Amino acid sequence: MTKIDKIAVFGGGSWATAIVKMLSENMNEVGWYMRNSYVIEHIKRNNHNPNYLSSADLHPKKLFLSDDINEMIEYAECLIFAIPSAFLKSELDKVKIPLDGKIIFSAIKGIVPETGLIVGEHFHDKLNVPFENIGVITGPCHAEEVAMERLSYLTLACQDEEKAICLSEKIAGRYIKTKISDDIIGTEYAAMLKNIFAVSAGIAHGLGYGDNFQAVLMSNAIREMKRFIKKVHKMKRNINNSAYLGDLLVTGYSVFSRNRMFGNMIGKGYTVKSAMLEMSMVAEGYYATKSAYKINKKNKAKTPIIDAVYAILYENKEAKIEFQKLTDLLD
Amino acid sequence: MTKIDKIAVFGGGSWATAIVKMLSENMNEVGWYMRNSYVIEHIKRNNHNPNYLSSADLHPKKLFLSDDINEMIEYAECLIFAIPSAFLKSELDKVKIPLDGKIIFSAIKGIVPETGLIVGEHFHDKLNVPFENIGVITGPCHAEEVAMERLSYLTLACQDEEKAICLSEKIAGRYIKTKISDDIIGTEYAAMLKNIFAVSAGIAHGLGYGDNFQAVLMSNAIREMKRFIKKVHKMKRNINNSAYLGDLLVTGYSVFSRNRMFGNMIGKGYTVKSAMLEMSMVAEGYYATKSAYKINKKNKAKTPIIDAVYAILYENKEAKIEFQKLTDLLD
């Protein structure tokens, strides 16, 4: 029976903070790596992350904090990565310690831009981590609601389900329910694709489309997600499970989603560059769009929404016209 | 080839008004029956419905208005009913004219409380209208957005698809796209069930559950809808099409939905009676819950959400406790 005693979370953002909070409810010690040593000092003194999810009370006595990624990898048996995918590679480039035997869970919803791979594939292909040691944490989950201790459901996926179960026992609690899945590829692609669809929802909103259209868009998006994932990794899955449809909905309908916000600005006429500058945040969906479009060029699933978003973000096409064309392809 | 030249809409509410607006874009004359002769006079004088969707400009010159239901039935070849299901039977009791040869479309999202039947079945079983003359208009569609001429997609379902196509040509236009389906039973049950799920979303919100839970609830709701409808009328259908999933989402995520509002009050502690009095509106989901629960007693689909809503609305069970139990049944 797999046992996991030492877990470390990598990343200093809101999702990393939320995962640390969940783990601290059940564990006596949680490892937490982040680049910024000032933030570490702040957490130690003030019991909260100053930059993200600052309302979440943390318990510094339970935290083993470090800004040394190698120290943290050495410490933990199970590594949970929650670094934005755009920064993952540069962080991993610092790693000098072998990852042999480490269980790696990705809580990152995106593509590694440098390799065009989803995170699980990146760890497998580039860092030789076997798939049975790779997992995914996903689910319809705003970190902000974890901070508020509002009931949330997470899906833990791993080819070796025992490892998923093992981690789930450390995560489930008063306000967190967990579900196990063996579809690491599908859940991770879903988590990435939903960001593109959230961008599309934002663009639609920015262009003045209403709730009726949004419902049609999301109903088409889940079918598009199903077709896309089926081409990438064919297996029996219910696309309406929380890890796929739920995750799409929580992002697509959220007014706080940075992907939706980014899309909204594009719809309102901002250029990609100015929208990014204005937000001073990374919209995962921006990178995801490029990768998904490329992947699908080979796979040839019918993906009118991804195609439209790609044309707008990467080919300088006018959002208004692309969406007019898109409305004829939806039903 | 079926031809429909004379169409009449029955009902004075917002959905009836929206349908009249759509038809008037394409037709020279549209029949419109409503009980209230004062409203008819107001429309004639002021070009809008004073009570519902008052921002929608109507064209009285194109309208044949009457408060005599028999006159209107005599007038039209195609009758579109958009009367709240709770009042349908008492309206139909006034009908003295035979319905032979009339094409009847239901735009009503509910169950006829007196017979426990969906509207299509009611016309078939109680008024001897053959199924090939019965259709359903459904879709993710807030009437308010039709008034604003925001792009909306409607599904027209009829066993005799030619009739659905024929009516769709009168409805489709600048801001309305239409889709044809032969699943009259499934689309109508979906339209009814989504109101129950909207009530459940409202209860959850009233109890303080957040967006993460809402996404899980909707992801479970669409699976529950699929199981329920499959038992009632088994056929090949994609439950993620707009007429099913889209319709669920537009209602479940709408803050304007009266069903959601009703549920919200229940979740906040109002009794059923006081919530109804306070709203001074009919929440279709209230009646739908009873009927769906009864129907499913025979069919035995797994319907934890409907069961929980039923227990709260009809068995005086405490919402908080029923939802706590429900959260363990969802995933």
Side-chain angles (χ1 to χ4, degrees):
Chain A
M1 182 73 198
T2 312
K3 256 191 91 213
I4 303 176
D5 284 322
K6 288 187 169 168
I7 302 178
V9 177
F10 295 76
S14 43
W15 194 210
T17 309
I19 295 171
V20 166
K21 176 177 159 69
M22 296 176 214
L23 291 169
S24 319
E25 307 270 2
N26 298 317
M27 300 182 74
N28 291 324
E29 188 175 84
V30 179
W32 191 1
Y33 161 78
M34 63 184 77
R35 282 187 302 185
N36 193 327
S37 57
Y38 163 77
V39 175
I40 289 179
E41 287 314 310
H42 184 102
I43 292 171
K44 282 183 181 165
R45 272 199 310 274
N46 304 294
N47 306 354
H48 67 262
N49 184 337
N51 300 329
Y52 296 98
L53 228 61
S54 54
S55 68
D57 279 333
L58 301 170
H59 306 285
K61 280 183 192 154
K62 283 192 168 187
L63 302 179
F64 166 51
L65 287 149
S66 172
D67 63 352
D68 179 343
I69 195 166
N70 286 295
E71 181 184 33
M72 197 54 75
I73 288 174
E74 197 147 48
Y75 162 82
E77 298 155 346
C78 174
L79 324 178
I80 300 176
F81 283 89
I83 295 164
S85 61
F87 306 133
L88 183 68
K89 192 173 171 297
S90 63
E91 284 296 319
L92 290 176
D93 284 345
K94 299 180 198 163
V95 176
K96 306 274 179 271
I97 310 272
L99 295 173
D100 306 353
K102 303 284 184 189
I103 300 167
I104 293 175
F105 270 79
S106 162
I108 302 167
K109 289 141 193 221
I111 284 266
V112 183
E114 295 89 343
T115 60
L117 299 170
I118 51 173
V119 177
E121 289 172 339
H122 183 90
F123 274 102
H124 179 264
D125 294 6
K126 302 296 170 190
L127 295 147
N128 301 315
V129 180
F131 269 123
E132 69 262 25
N133 280 347
I134 296 175
V136 171
I137 301 179
T138 183
C141 201
H142 290 307
E144 291 72 17
E145 292 200 344
V146 173
M148 297 158 80
E149 305 193 351
R150 282 189 166 168
L151 183 65
S152 306
Y153 291 64
L154 295 178
T155 293
L156 289 106
C158 188
Q159 238 176 41
D160 179 354
E161 289 202 5
E162 223 184 69
K163 287 171 185 145
I165 292 168
C166 202
L167 181 59
S168 81
E169 285 165 1
K170 308 288 188 188
I171 282 188
R174 202 160 32 89
Y175 50 87
I176 303 289
K177 291 186 192 287
T178 52
K179 182 172 178 169
I180 305 304
S181 158
D182 60 351
D183 183 19
I184 57 163
I185 302 294
T187 50
E188 205 176 341
Y189 270 105
M192 162 211 161
L193 293 171
K194 65 124 199 276
N195 288 332
I196 307 173
F197 299 132
V199 172
S200 80
I203 296 175
H205 187 257
L207 287 169
Y209 290 90
D211 293 347
N212 292 353
F213 181 71
Q214 161 85 345
V216 172
L217 187 64
M218 290 297 112
S219 132
N220 279 270
I222 192 67
R223 286 176 273 155
E224 185 163 323
M225 183 189 277
K226 185 178 179 178
R227 291 190 298 266
F228 184 104
I229 298 179
K230 196 177 167 186
K231 291 274 186 184
V232 175
H233 184 59
K234 195 171 174 174
M235 66 175 276
K236 205 175 145 56
R237 65 173 66 84
N238 187 345
I239 203 74
N240 287 346
N241 281 350
S242 294
Y244 314 95
L245 177 62
D247 207 19
L248 170 67
L249 295 181
V250 84
T251 311
Y253 274 100
S254 166
V255 287
F256 304 109
S257 151
R258 65 186 77 176
N259 290 296
R260 201 173 184 281
M261 206 186 300
F262 173 69
N264 193 26
M265 294 173 85
I266 301 294
K268 290 212 179 297
Y270 282 68
T271 62
V272 170
K273 207 173 169 181
S274 57
M276 287 215 173
L277 280 171
E278 189 79 20
M279 285 178 64
S280 71
M281 293 209 278
V282 187
E284 296 273 6
Y286 174 71
Y287 302 106
T289 300
K290 191 174 183 179
S291 300
Y293 183 82
K294 265 186 172 169
I295 291 164
N296 200 52
K297 265 219 144 161
K298 286 175 291 183
N299 291 345
K300 296 193 174 55
K302 201 181 111 202
T303 56
I305 303 172
I306 295 170
D307 298 349
V309 176
Y310 181 84
I312 295 163
L313 299 186
Y314 289 94
E315 293 176 336
N316 266 314
K317 297 283 172 68
E318 210 182 312
K320 192 177 165 186
I321 290 164
E322 292 308 306
F323 262 62
Q324 254 160 12
K325 287 193 268 174
L326 178 62
T327 61
D328 285 328
L329 302 175
L330 305 181
D331 66 5
Chain B
M1 181 74 198
T2 312
K3 257 190 91 214
I4 304 176
D5 285 321
K6 288 188 170 168
I7 301 178
V9 177
F10 295 76
S14 43
W15 194 211
T17 309
I19 295 171
V20 166
K21 177 175 158 69
M22 297 175 213
L23 291 169
S24 318
E25 307 270 3
N26 299 316
M27 300 181 76
N28 291 322
E29 188 176 85
V30 179
W32 191 2
Y33 161 78
M34 62 184 77
R35 282 188 300 185
N36 193 328
S37 57
Y38 163 77
V39 175
I40 290 179
E41 287 314 310
H42 184 102
I43 292 171
K44 282 184 181 166
R45 272 198 310 273
N46 304 294
N47 305 355
H48 67 262
N49 183 337
N51 300 330
Y52 296 98
L53 228 60
S54 54
S55 67
D57 278 335
L58 302 170
H59 305 285
K61 279 181 193 157
K62 283 191 168 189
L63 302 178
F64 166 51
L65 287 149
S66 172
D67 62 353
D68 178 343
I69 196 167
N70 286 294
E71 181 184 33
M72 196 54 75
I73 288 174
E74 196 148 49
Y75 162 81
E77 298 155 347
C78 175
L79 324 178
I80 300 176
F81 283 89
I83 294 164
S85 61
F87 307 133
L88 183 68
K89 192 174 171 295
S90 64
E91 284 296 318
L92 289 176
D93 284 347
K94 300 181 197 162
V95 176
K96 307 273 179 271
I97 311 273
L99 294 173
D100 306 353
K102 303 284 183 189
I103 301 167
I104 292 176
F105 270 79
S106 163
I108 301 167
K109 289 141 192 220
I111 284 267
V112 183
E114 295 88 342
T115 59
L117 298 170
I118 51 173
V119 176
E121 288 172 340
H122 183 90
F123 274 102
H124 179 264
D125 294 7
K126 303 296 170 190
L127 295 147
N128 301 314
V129 180
F131 270 122
E132 70 262 25
N133 280 347
I134 296 175
V136 171
I137 301 178
T138 184
C141 200
H142 290 307
E144 291 71 17
E145 292 200 343
V146 173
M148 296 158 79
E149 305 193 351
R150 283 187 166 169
L151 183 64
S152 307
Y153 291 62
L154 295 178
T155 293
L156 289 107
C158 188
Q159 239 176 39
D160 179 353
E161 289 202 4
E162 221 183 72
K163 286 171 186 146
I165 292 169
C166 202
L167 180 59
S168 81
E169 285 165 1
K170 308 289 188 187
I171 282 187
R174 202 160 32 88
Y175 50 88
I176 303 289
K177 292 186 191 286
T178 51
K179 182 172 177 169
I180 304 304
S181 159
D182 60 351
D183 183 19
I184 56 164
I185 303 294
T187 50
E188 205 176 343
Y189 270 106
M192 161 210 162
L193 292 171
K194 65 122 200 278
N195 288 331
I196 306 174
F197 299 132
V199 172
S200 80
I203 295 174
H205 187 257
L207 288 169
Y209 290 89
D211 293 347
N212 292 352
F213 181 72
Q214 161 85 347
V216 171
L217 187 64
M218 289 299 112
S219 132
N220 279 271
I222 192 67
R223 287 176 272 155
E224 184 163 325
M225 183 189 277
K226 185 178 179 177
R227 291 191 298 267
F228 184 103
I229 298 179
K230 195 176 166 187
K231 291 273 187 186
V232 175
H233 183 59
K234 195 171 174 173
M235 66 174 277
K236 204 176 146 59
R237 64 173 67 86
N238 187 345
I239 203 75
N240 287 347
N241 281 350
S242 294
Y244 314 96
L245 177 62
D247 207 19
L248 171 68
L249 296 181
V250 84
T251 311
Y253 274 100
S254 166
V255 285
F256 304 109
S257 151
R258 65 186 78 176
N259 291 295
R260 201 172 184 281
M261 206 186 299
F262 173 69
N264 192 26
M265 294 173 85
I266 301 293
K268 290 213 180 297
Y270 281 67
T271 62
V272 169
K273 207 171 169 183
S274 57
M276 287 216 175
L277 279 171
E278 190 78 23
M279 285 179 64
S280 72
M281 293 209 277
V282 187
E284 295 273 6
Y286 174 72
Y287 303 107
T289 301
K290 190 173 183 180
S291 300
Y293 183 82
K294 265 185 170 170
I295 291 165
N296 199 51
K297 267 220 142 158
K298 285 175 292 182
N299 291 345
K300 296 191 174 55
K302 200 181 111 201
T303 56
I305 304 173
I306 295 170
D307 298 350
V309 175
Y310 181 83
I312 295 162
L313 299 186
Y314 289 96
E315 293 176 337
N316 266 313
K317 297 283 172 68
E318 212 183 312
K320 192 177 166 187
I321 291 164
E322 291 307 308
F323 263 62
Q324 256 158 11
K325 287 193 268 174
L326 178 61
T327 61
D328 285 327
L329 302 174
L330 305 181
D331 66 6

